[in-house]
Amino acid sequence: MTRRLNALVVAFLALAFAAAAEPLQPAPLPHVMILATGGTIAGTGATATTTVGYTAATIGVEALIAAVPELAKVARVSGEQVFQIASENMTPDNWLRLGRRVNELLARDDVAGVVITHGTDTLEETAYFLDLVVKSAKPIVLVGAMRPATAISADGPMNLYNAVALAASREAVGRGVLVCMNDRIDAARDVTKTNTVALDTFRSPELGVLGMMEGGRPAFYRTADRAHTTATEFDIKDLRELPKVGIALAYAGSGRIAIDAMVAAGVKGIVNAGVGDGSLSVEARAALVEARAKGIVVVRASRIPGGAVARNGEADDDALDFVVADNLSPQKARILLALALTRTTDTREIQRMFRRY
Ligand code: DGL
């Protein structure tokens, strides 16, 4: 019996030493899917100094990946060309298709995160839409560029590297949809394009960045407070189309033309981008009251980039049965209102949603 026991102990020790002698295999790198939609990051210009008047959406996803071989140091990447468009042509139908594809991919165990390359003009809108409909805590990072790939000091390659490194990081898990440009990490809800040409155009003016990319590693300083991704009540799985919601920009003398035109076009909701604290001219107020009487949901937003619109401040929202946009920009209030209308037309419920997301 003792001899058998000794033999077992020797065999066990031999196995233990053999295992210890084996060099530890590094853990496999996370698998990050890059979904390409077009934009300047995929753009080409006639010369190396062409930074305006170039053609967006000409380079395919495989070429974008091949241009940054360093991606292989931070993740195993796979590319998919979902669209090839300049983002001024992005539509809610595109969003639904993209959102469903992101949900499908993130439900796979072998996918750690998703990067979406996108034109910068409507990047913030796609990011916020995904923030409200993606049902995963895995990182989703949107990235673009302000210079085409052919330009001197093109910003696309480093932006793409940072976005993939961020999407592959544990730190980015559970933070909602992120926008990573020019070394900054911003929340989809807060970020907006602030400059027509500057590289550091994406800012979160009032609330600031969530974090920074430092040498390819994320450093976070705060978390986004409002609900997103796995905490949202919106579901696009069976949604054929988003309810139509228009935005009326107010200015001196704007009157009711845009509002009446949207009512005639059959919108289900109107976001009024008012002056000041969401103030309404006499004519605009009359037009919105008539729209409300036809069942159209009215949200009072502001054309001003900072601050929230106070409920019952510049208009008696309770009496008029209007909703206020909180501090959402008009273009993001429109997205939230469209998704809210997939669930309810009750304005008290919709106002709750504007306080929650
Ligand atoms: N056409 C614009 C777009 O696709 C170019 C801007 C950009 O991508 O930086 O959004």
Side-chain angles (χ1 to χ4, degrees):
M1 178 59 178
T2 315
R3 196 174 317 164
R4 271 172 58 81
L5 193 58
N6 285 345
L8 276 175
V9 169
V10 167
F12 173 76
L13 287 174
L15 276 174
F17 280 119
E22 270 295 303
L24 284 177
Q25 294 302 324
L29 289 171
H31 179 207
V32 170
M33 288 294 301
I34 298 178
L35 303 184
T37 73
T40 295
I41 193 169
T44 48
T47 72
T49 55
T50 305
T51 54
V52 290
Y54 53 82
T55 307
T58 59
I59 299 172
V61 65
E62 294 311 331
L64 291 179
I65 294 171
V68 189
E70 294 77 8
L71 293 178
K73 292 179 186 164
V74 292
R76 286 178 294 120
V77 297
S78 309
E80 203 169 284
Q81 193 76 46
V82 186
F83 312 118
Q84 184 66 299
I85 59 174
S87 76
E88 59 268 32
N89 296 315
M90 192 59 77
T91 66
D93 287 347
N94 295 144
W95 288 343
L96 287 172
R97 198 170 128 204
L98 183 62
R100 279 193 268 268
R101 186 58 182 147
V102 170
N103 275 322
E104 273 169 25
L105 289 170
L106 291 181
R108 284 171 32 183
D109 292 340
D110 67 318
V111 175
V114 163
V115 166
I116 299 169
T117 60
H118 195 292
T120 59
D121 289 356
T122 60
L123 189 148
E124 66 203 69
E125 296 178 49
T126 302
Y128 187 47
F129 173 78
L130 294 173
D131 202 41
L132 294 171
V133 303
V134 170
K135 298 301 181 188
S136 173
K138 294 178 182 176
I140 305 111
V141 181
L142 273 83
V143 63
M146 292 301 288
R147 291 178 180 154
T150 46
I152 303 168
S153 308
D155 52 331
M158 182 55 84
N159 282 351
L160 181 60
Y161 175 80
N162 275 337
V164 170
L166 180 60
S169 74
R170 282 187 315 281
E171 296 90 332
V173 172
R175 290 183 179 270
V177 173
L178 302 172
V179 173
C180 187
M181 293 270 295
N182 208 45
D183 301 327
R184 289 195 181 90
I185 307 170
D186 285 281
R189 182 187 186 279
D190 306 333
V191 73
T192 189
K193 187 173 181 179
T194 62
N195 187 291
T196 56
V197 293
L199 298 188
D200 65 348
T201 182
F202 278 94
R203 297 296 182 104
S204 299
E206 291 255 282
L207 300 168
V209 293
L210 291 181
M212 297 295 292
M213 290 304 288
E214 295 165 6
R217 294 295 313 153
F220 282 98
Y221 299 97
R222 68 181 184 91
T223 54
D225 193 56
R226 293 295 175 95
H228 55 71
T229 57
T230 52
T232 77
E233 59 205 276
F234 307 114
D235 191 327
I236 59 170
K237 211 170 30 291
D238 304 318
L239 189 61
R240 264 181 0 91
E241 65 174 0
L242 271 181
K244 284 186 178 23
V245 173
I247 301 174
L249 175 68
Y251 48 86
S254 51
R256 55 182 294 162
I257 299 170
I259 297 165
D260 290 342
M262 282 186 268
V263 172
V267 299
K268 303 298 183 204
I270 293 176
V271 172
N272 192 73
V275 295
D277 187 9
S279 307
L280 304 173
S281 68
V282 170
E283 286 185 305
R285 185 184 187 283
L288 291 171
V289 167
E290 288 171 32
R292 185 71 197 108
K294 291 174 180 164
I296 294 170
V297 175
V298 173
V299 173
R300 278 196 314 117
S302 174
R303 69 183 196 180
I304 292 179
V309 171
R311 185 168 176 88
N312 296 320
E314 290 297 330
D316 187 351
D317 299 300
D318 289 350
L320 299 172
D321 196 22
F322 288 171
V323 174
V324 289
D326 198 282
N327 71 341
L328 282 178
S329 63
Q331 59 268 32
K332 289 184 181 173
R334 172 237 178 176
I335 295 167
L336 181 51
L337 178 53
L339 285 170
L341 290 170
T342 66
R343 298 186 61 80
T344 180
T345 53
D346 178 323
T347 51
R348 278 164 310 167
E349 264 297 279
I350 295 174
Q351 185 65 79
R352 172 189 64 77
M353 294 173 185
F354 273 84
R355 298 297 186 210
R356 176 169 166 71
Y357 299 105

